[in-house]
Amino acid sequence: MSSSTGVALSSVSKNLRKVFLSQKTRKMDWRFSQLKALKKLISENKEDITAAVKKDLGKHEFEIHQTEIVMVQAECEETISHLESWNKTEKVYSPIHFKPGSSYILKEPLGVVLIMSPWNYPVNLALVPLIGAIAGGNCALVKLSRHSYNVSKLLYELLTKYMDPECFVFDYEGGAQYITELLEYKWDHIFFTGSVKVGKIVYAAAAKYLTPVTLELGGKNPCIVDKDTDIKFTARRLIWGKCWNAGQTCIGLDYLLVHKSILQPLIEEFKSVLKEFFGEDIKKSPSFARIISKAAAERLASLFTNGKVVIGGEADIEERYISPTVIVDPDLDSPLMTEEIFGPVLPIVAYENIDEAIEFIQNRPHPLTLYCFSRDQSIQDKVLDGTQSGSVMLNDCLLHFTNPQLPFGGIGDSGIGAYHGKLTFDTFTHRRALVQSTTKKFLDLPLRYPPYTPMSDNIASKIIGSGW
Ligand SMILES: NC(=O)C1=CN([C@@H]2O[C@H](COP(=O)(O)OP(=O)(O)OC[C@H]3O[C@@H](n4cnc5c(N)ncnc54)[C@H](OP(=O)(O)O)[C@@H]3O)[C@@H](O)[C@H]2O)C=CC1
Ligand SMILES: CCCCCC(=O)O
């Protein structure tokens, strides 16, 4: 099986390793040249990138610019401005038995890495990990999702044109079979963004070579809506969060746990917010995206029967349109409540007291993100203390993704590792301990060598144990 480069994978892997061993990618000049090339790629092709995302996902330019252009440029600029300091060798304290030797932490490339990206934010989720791979001084093979075909084909053409062809290989056509073959090779890190199901396949394959992985996975993100909340304020944020990219967001809110006393008022408020955001006919609104494929649209439409539809429930499979749909009394054993929804369908489970809601969450896999809308500090504390998630947001949705100071990643089933900002550089860097020992003979203490005596053991214990 050959990649889009038309070269058999076995030689692709060998060529990349050969280039890495030439030490070309270790050089800071090379890293900066590639980061600047990536920055140029985006700034010179904004319109084409926007048009391609629009073709694949039908979303508004506003959404495209924020997540696929602005955020990637920001990550690139942040890396360029901080790379020298991030990559700087750190001198650390050396205990007395090292003196006058010294101890350091070197920042070193991992080698040849594999990046696999999904279709829902096809530019951001491919290029941000690539920024980290470059910053760390690595060669990389980047497998772009074939489902976001227009974006992936364009990115393949642009990356092939702008980036160093010796150090990178890009593919946009391969599917499951191609990835299966990719996973047969040894990589020095695998950065996978995708479903839990495929994440487990990647993890199992990585174990063969003990390859470190970053698994940016998905899952069912709960959102608690407590009775102590401003219903209008909360409804706007929930509908915004659920409808962004038509719900095709791994940190998107998957289902609501709503205090029963506010269930009806909240549903009524949802109706007026949907009209405010998208007008009378949502399907005609340029602000509401389309589903990535007809198959995905059919899967989402099949969820309508998993409970009582109180808002929406419309589908136009040919147009890949699924209306924002709210479902109450969902069947807890149905796909709606057991599989990641990844679309604009919002089931609501009503609860009477917060402990019920917390237990509901505790009985399910750890989510990538957890949301809680409440103005009651004691409720917030109970939720934070009683649950585990990759990240948690109180009284808002999604925006934690836009802060490069925050680790972005899962826990348990929702993923392994985290990135953004310096963490993206750290993900693709090995922190290598270096000790430079003295060769001065008079400091070569005899007590460290056999034959050992109780006295040498006693003195050594005092020195090592002192941490001086
Ligand atoms: N944590 C995060 O940052 C994010 C997580 N996600 C998650 O990604 C998923 C949606 O993205 P999607 O691309 O559909 O994810 P998938 O995991 O379904 O697919 C990812 C890649 O794996 C390939 N694949 C599918 N089956 C196999 C297999 N058996 N062996 C090897 N490779 C396989 C797919 O190929 P093919 O193209 O042939 O299907 C695709 O290229 C959601 O679960 C979402 O939560 C999405 C965005 C961000
Ligand atoms: C808001 C942008 C989020 C991108 C990653 C995800 O799919 O959750």
Side-chain angles (χ1 to χ4, degrees):
M1 165 75 73
S2 67
S3 72
S4 303
T5 59
V7 182
L9 269 179
S10 53
S11 41
V12 162
S13 168
K14 283 198 193 87
N15 294 345
L16 288 174
R17 188 149 306 278
K18 200 164 136 224
V19 170
F20 176 71
L21 293 174
S22 74
Q23 303 189 26
K24 174 178 188 180
T25 60
R26 291 179 77 101
K27 295 180 176 51
M28 294 307 279
D29 287 351
W30 178 86
R31 301 189 208 186
F32 281 112
S33 72
Q34 295 306 296
L35 289 169
K36 286 169 185 163
L38 199 54
K39 199 174 151 200
K40 198 160 173 265
L41 180 156
I42 296 167
S43 60
E44 291 180 354
N45 298 282
K46 277 182 197 167
E47 290 69 31
D48 289 350
I49 291 171
T50 301
V53 176
K54 206 158 179 57
K55 270 194 209 144
D56 286 336
L57 287 156
K59 52 187 170 182
H60 197 279
E61 288 79 1
F62 178 83
E63 285 195 25
I64 299 170
H65 292 164
Q66 302 317 313
T67 54
E68 307 279 25
I69 305 282
V70 172
M71 285 186 64
V72 181
Q73 286 177 317
E75 183 90 8
C76 204
E77 281 151 16
E78 157 114 348
T79 303
I80 290 170
S81 54
H82 292 91
L83 181 55
E84 286 290 1
S85 64
W86 291 348
N87 196 59
K88 200 166 176 314
T89 296
E90 292 171 34
K91 182 167 186 180
V92 295
Y93 173 73
S94 298
I96 189 165
H97 55 286
F98 283 68
K99 307 286 190 218
S102 41
S103 310
Y104 303 89
I105 299 173
L106 305 176
K107 315 298 173 48
E108 298 203 338
L110 298 176
V112 181
V113 301
L114 172 60
I115 295 169
M116 294 191 281
S117 57
W119 49 262
N120 60 324
Y121 294 90
V123 181
N124 187 309
L125 299 177
L127 298 193
V128 172
L130 179 59
I131 288 168
I134 294 168
N138 302 282
C139 289
L141 187 147
V142 183
K143 162 74 186 83
L144 303 162
S145 172
R146 67 194 181 99
H147 296 297
S148 45
Y149 179 76
N150 293 288
V151 172
S152 296
K153 185 171 183 297
L154 174 66
L155 278 186
Y156 170 78
E157 289 158 3
L158 294 176
L159 288 163
T160 307
K161 178 182 162 193
Y162 282 76
M163 308 308 286
D164 184 335
E166 272 196 343
C167 307
F168 303 109
V169 169
F170 304 104
D171 176 90
Y172 68 97
E173 293 167 312
Q177 193 196 335
Y178 176 71
I179 288 184
T180 303
E181 189 177 343
L182 276 180
L183 295 174
E184 283 163 17
Y185 292 92
K186 174 175 172 44
W187 305 93
D188 296 303
H189 191 96
I190 300 177
F191 193 106
F192 171 79
T193 302
S195 66
V196 171
K197 176 194 123 206
V198 182
K200 288 177 178 174
I201 293 167
V202 170
Y203 203 23
K208 254 189 333 239
Y209 299 107
L210 290 178
T211 300
V213 296
T214 302
L215 300 178
E216 287 287 341
L217 306 180
K220 293 184 74 63
N221 303 318
C223 175
I224 293 171
V225 186
D226 176 47
K227 61 183 185 297
D228 182 2
T229 187
D230 176 325
I231 290 181
K232 281 187 185 302
F233 169 91
T234 298
R236 288 169 65 80
R237 292 201 161 177
L238 291 176
I239 292 295
W240 174 80
K242 189 64 182 180
C243 293
W244 183 274
N245 200 20
Q248 299 164 112
T249 302
C250 67
I251 55 170
L253 37 102
D254 186 280
Y255 64 93
L256 301 186
L257 292 158
V258 176
H259 191 277
K260 65 177 194 178
S261 65
I262 59 163
L263 178 59
Q264 285 315 319
L266 187 66
I267 291 171
E268 288 316 307
E269 199 53 44
F270 281 164
K271 290 173 185 171
S272 57
V273 169
L274 281 167
K275 204 168 287 175
E276 179 202 339
F277 285 3
F278 306 112
E280 288 296 336
D281 185 350
I282 299 175
K283 194 169 153 188
K284 292 198 179 107
S285 167
S287 301
F288 187 70
R290 290 299 179 265
I291 306 304
I292 187 66
S293 67
K294 290 179 187 172
E298 276 167 353
R299 175 185 65 83
L300 288 163
S302 72
L303 302 178
F304 294 166
T305 57
N306 294 173
K308 184 182 171 211
V309 173
V310 291
I311 296 176
E314 290 136 45
D316 179 338
I317 303 301
E318 280 312 302
E319 274 209 25
R320 296 184 285 135
Y321 171 75
I322 295 290
S323 68
T325 297
V326 177
I327 294 177
V328 297
D329 305 329
D331 172 356
L332 298 186
D333 297 323
S334 68
L336 179 66
M337 290 305 293
T338 56
E339 291 167 18
E340 181 181 30
I341 295 170
F342 222 59
V345 181
L346 185 61
I348 302 180
V349 176
Y351 69 85
E352 193 152 351
N353 69 64
I354 195 62
D355 295 330
E356 277 175 55
I358 290 171
E359 192 183 349
F360 189 95
I361 293 168
Q362 287 172 339
N363 291 340
R364 287 159 175 78
H366 296 332
L368 183 60
T369 298
L370 168 68
Y371 299 102
C372 175
F373 284 77
S374 174
R375 291 172 297 201
D376 182 336
Q377 183 70 51
S378 66
I379 295 287
Q380 292 180 7
D381 292 345
K382 278 194 100 162
V383 170
L384 290 173
D385 294 345
T387 60
Q388 289 174 271
S389 60
S391 48
V392 55
M393 201 164 194
L394 301 178
N395 298 312
D396 206 343
C397 311
L398 309 188
L399 291 182
H400 57 298
F401 184 81
T402 64
N403 181 351
Q405 307 308 319
L406 290 175
F408 183 75
I411 180 174
D413 276 47
S414 52
I416 294 173
Y419 70 125
H420 284 181
K422 182 175 180 295
L423 266 182
T424 315
F425 167 78
D426 292 343
T427 295
F428 290 98
T429 301
H430 172 56
R431 291 166 61 83
R432 191 182 191 185
L434 162 69
V435 174
Q436 280 177 334
S437 294
T438 175
T439 54
K440 293 182 173 53
K441 288 200 174 57
F442 75 95
L443 284 172
D444 195 18
L445 302 178
L447 69 85
R448 65 183 274 185
Y449 300 106
Y452 301 121
T453 65
M455 187 170 78
S456 61
D457 184 24
N458 185 23
I459 296 169
S461 306
K462 283 191 173 26
I463 294 173
I464 304 275
S466 68
W468 293 334

